[in-house]
Amino acid sequence: MFLETMKWSEVAGLSREETIVVCCISAMEQHSLHLPMGTDYFIGSELVKRLEAEFPERLLCLPTIWFGSSGHHMDFPGTISISSHNMVQMLGDIARSLHAHGFGKLLILNSHGGNRSLLARSVQELGEEIPGL
Ligand SMILES: [Zn+2]
């Protein structure tokens, strides 16, 4: 299931015990001379699509987040980098929103190496804030 294609009433009917929400984080940055800016986004989105195809009744997939922490690529025009602080805040807001609606299982996927440290920080902070998430 893909959240963006569902009606709220369909989301309301999902099992909170069984459903795993999938959130993939990528990046918009250079990937050498031969690959497009959205390479990480395309890889992450395809991974989510394939996961969903394997477990269509179990996974609730969010749209892939197309930006990430790419400060180390800012010399390349077109790169969009979000600060670690804002990324951690945004992930927290996503998790808190899901939790408010009763979803307690969140799988965060990462398709960009530069996001690793902020994801670790996010997971640690969310674990402290929302025990059991
Ligand atoms: Zn990357």
Side-chain angles (χ1 to χ4, degrees), residues 33-85:
L33 297 175
H34 63 297
L35 293 173
M37 302 292 289
T39 295
D40 290 340
Y41 170 82
F42 298 134
I43 292 170
S45 296
E46 182 63 24
L47 176 61
V48 171
K49 201 168 102 182
R50 292 183 188 193
L51 271 175
E52 195 277 340
E54 289 290 320
F55 307 99
E57 302 301 320
R58 189 85 197 274
L59 301 182
L60 174 61
C61 302
L62 307 182
T64 297
I65 298 170
W66 57 262
F67 46 67
S69 178
S70 300
H72 53 298
H73 290 292
M74 284 305 290
D75 286 342
F76 300 91
T79 297
I80 296 174
S81 184
I82 306 298
S83 70
S84 298
H85 170 80

Side-chain angles (χ1 to χ4, degrees), residues 29 31 40 112:
E29 64 184 23
H31 285 86
D40 290 340
H112 166 58

Side-chain angles (χ1 to χ4, degrees), residues 52-125:
E52 195 277 340
E54 289 290 320
F55 307 99
E57 302 301 320
R58 189 85 197 274
L59 301 182
L60 174 61
C61 302
L62 307 182
T64 297
I65 298 170
W66 57 262
F67 46 67
S69 178
S70 300
H72 53 298
H73 290 292
M74 284 305 290
D75 286 342
F76 300 91
T79 297
I80 296 174
S81 184
I82 306 298
S83 70
S84 298
H85 170 80
N86 286 341
M87 285 295 290
V88 169
Q89 291 301 311
M90 183 183 67
L91 288 170
D93 288 343
I94 291 170
R96 282 186 284 276
S97 297
L98 294 165
H99 189 254
H101 298 301
F103 295 101
K105 296 175 181 167
L106 175 61
L107 173 62
I108 299 175
L109 300 177
N110 180 27
S111 64
H112 166 58
N115 291 337
R116 266 185 246 141
S117 61
L118 69 90
L119 284 175
R121 193 171 126 207
S122 292
V123 169
Q124 183 177 354
E125 287 183 17

